[in-house]
């Protein structure tokens, strides 16, 4: 029995991957180069393009694999195997050495996560994980995503403990006031006894806010993938999903 959704029909690609036909073809080619078509054990029932679309559909809709599998005409166990095989291959590549004029922006986002080994009760009143996201201020592409940490961890600690501090080393990086005590560029704050900021400081803070809004917009676009609103994946599943969604985000943005 065939499935309802297939990459052979272009009408399914954009709603479930966020990519145009040719962008999706580039993504499939990348996954193939990374070993997505390598045959181990039982043969794949679906062609590679359909398998990539299945993973994207799972992340996009946050349906269970038991619900997604029949849409592609495969069993739940086959969908599980596809996700385990392809999710790591969709991850963004490690950041390369930045150019001299590069500026990064970093911020943390809370992803509600049911696996309490990587989650904690946090300020959104849910068990969540803190994921640190670094973007390029000019291109707005996601550069790096830190390891997941309990949502109760403040951004200042999460920045170093997640590993994204190594990506930002040597590159000017903008952050909000929650990163006080780091070497990052944060807004001016009133010192003890200071009634108000100077006009220059207020002006610089306004420029800082406009620049930092770019990471907020990036996080908003990433959260369009509904799995980041209530992640049922265990272990490093939430991290792999975020890395893969960042790849799709970057490809849609850069073409």
């Amino acid at each position: 029995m065939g499935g309802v959704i297939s990459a052979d029909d272009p009408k399914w690609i954009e709603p479930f991957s966020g990519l145009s036909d040719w962008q999706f073809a580039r993504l499939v080619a990348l996954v193939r180069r990374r070993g997505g078509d390598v045959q181990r054990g039982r043969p794949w029932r679906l062609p590679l393009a359909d398998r990539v679309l299945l993973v994207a559909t799972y992340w996009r809709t946050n349906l269970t694999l038991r619900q997604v599998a029949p849409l592609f005409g495969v069993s739940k166990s086959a969908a599980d195997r596809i996700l385990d095989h392809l999710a790591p291959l969709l991850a963004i590549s490690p950041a390369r050495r930045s150019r001299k004029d590069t500026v990064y922006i970093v911020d943390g986002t809370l992803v509600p996560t049911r696996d309490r080994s990587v989650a904690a009760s946090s300020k959104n009143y849910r068990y969540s994980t803190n994921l640190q996201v670094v973007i390029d201020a000019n291109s707005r592409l996601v550069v790096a995503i830190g390891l997941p940490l309990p949502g109760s961890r403040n951004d200042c600690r999460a920045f170093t403990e997640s590993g994204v501090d190594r990506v930002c080393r040597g590159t000017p990086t903008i952050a909000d006031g929650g990163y006080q005590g780091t070497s990052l560029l944060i807004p001016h704050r009133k010192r003890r006894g200071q009634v108000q900021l100077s006009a220059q400081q207020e002006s610089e803070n306004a420029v800082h806010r406009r620049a930092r809004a770019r990471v907020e917009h990036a996080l908003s676009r990433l959260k369009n993938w509904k799995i980041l609103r209530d992640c049922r994946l265990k272990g490093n599943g939430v991290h792999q999903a975020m890395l893969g969604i960042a790849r799709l985000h970057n490809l849609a943005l850069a073409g």
Side-chain angles (χ1 to χ4, degrees), residues 108-128:
T109 186
L110 293 174
V111 176
T113 307
R114 300 189 188 185
D115 182 2
R116 297 196 177 183
S117 66
V118 293
S121 183
S122 49
K123 62 184 179 183
N124 63 354
Y125 304 105
R126 301 182 65 182
Y127 273 82
S128 304

Side-chain angles (χ1 to χ4, degrees), residues 124-153:
N124 63 354
Y125 304 105
R126 301 182 65 182
Y127 273 82
S128 304
T129 186
N130 182 322
L131 286 167
Q132 296 287 302
V133 179
V134 181
I135 71 164
D136 185 302
N138 294 315
S139 66
R140 309 189 187 207
L141 300 180
V142 176
V143 174
I145 293 173
L147 295 172
L149 296 168
S152 57
R153 199 69 46 86

Side-chain angles (χ1 to χ4, degrees), residues 150-194:
S152 57
R153 199 69 46 86
N154 62 53
D155 285 338
C156 186
R157 284 184 59 191
F159 176 68
T160 54
E161 294 179 10
S162 68
V164 295
D165 60 321
R166 294 190 293 272
V167 176
C168 299
R169 198 169 295 156
T171 303
T173 305
I174 298 171
D176 63 25
Y179 291 84
Q180 191 173 15
T182 65
S183 59
L184 306 181
L185 304 173
I186 64 174
H188 296 291
R189 304 178 68 172
K190 288 186 287 189
R191 298 179 181 178
R192 181 177 297 180
Q194 186 178 5

Side-chain angles (χ1 to χ4, degrees), residues 98-99 101-107 133-144 168 171-175 185 207-218 221 249-250 253:
S98 58
R99 300 178 308 180
D101 61 344
T102 299
V103 176
Y104 289 157
I105 312 174
V106 64
D107 200 4
V133 179
V134 181
I135 71 164
D136 185 302
N138 294 315
S139 66
R140 309 189 187 207
L141 300 180
V142 176
V143 174
C168 299
T171 303
T173 305
I174 298 171
L185 304 173
V207 173
H208 186 281
R209 283 194 299 272
R210 286 195 295 271
R212 211 183 63 77
R214 298 183 179 191
V215 73
E216 299 289 353
H217 297 158
R221 284 191 292 268
H249 164 272
N250 287 355
L253 200 61

Side-chain angles (χ1 to χ4, degrees), residues 5 8 13 21 53 66 71 82 84 106 114 131 145 153-154 165 168 174 179 182-183 195 206 224-225 230 246:
I5 298 174
D8 290 337
I13 293 176
D21 296 354
L53 188 58
R66 196 176 299 278
L71 298 177
I82 290 170
D84 290 344
V106 64
R114 300 189 188 185
L131 286 167
I145 293 173
R153 199 69 46 86
N154 62 53
D165 60 321
C168 299
I174 298 171
Y179 291 84
T182 65
S183 59
V195 177
N224 284 334
W225 299 79
D230 182 20

Side-chain angles (χ1 to χ4, degrees), residues 1-6 8 45-47 50 68-75:
M1 174 178 159
V4 176
I5 298 174
S6 172
D8 290 337
R45 179 170 179 178
L46 296 177
D50 281 2
V68 170
L71 298 177
F72 288 83
V74 297
S75 65

Side-chain angles (χ1 to χ4, degrees), residues 33 38 63-64 76 81 93 103 106 115 122 128 161 173 186 199 204 207 215 219 228 233 242 252 255:
R33 290 196 303 271
V38 173
L63 296 171
T64 65
K76 191 262 184 184
R81 195 161 68 102
S93 304
V103 176
V106 64
D115 182 2
S122 49
S128 304
E161 294 179 10
T173 305
I186 64 174
E204 290 173 354
V207 173
V215 73
L219 293 176
L228 300 182
L233 295 169
M242 192 69 161

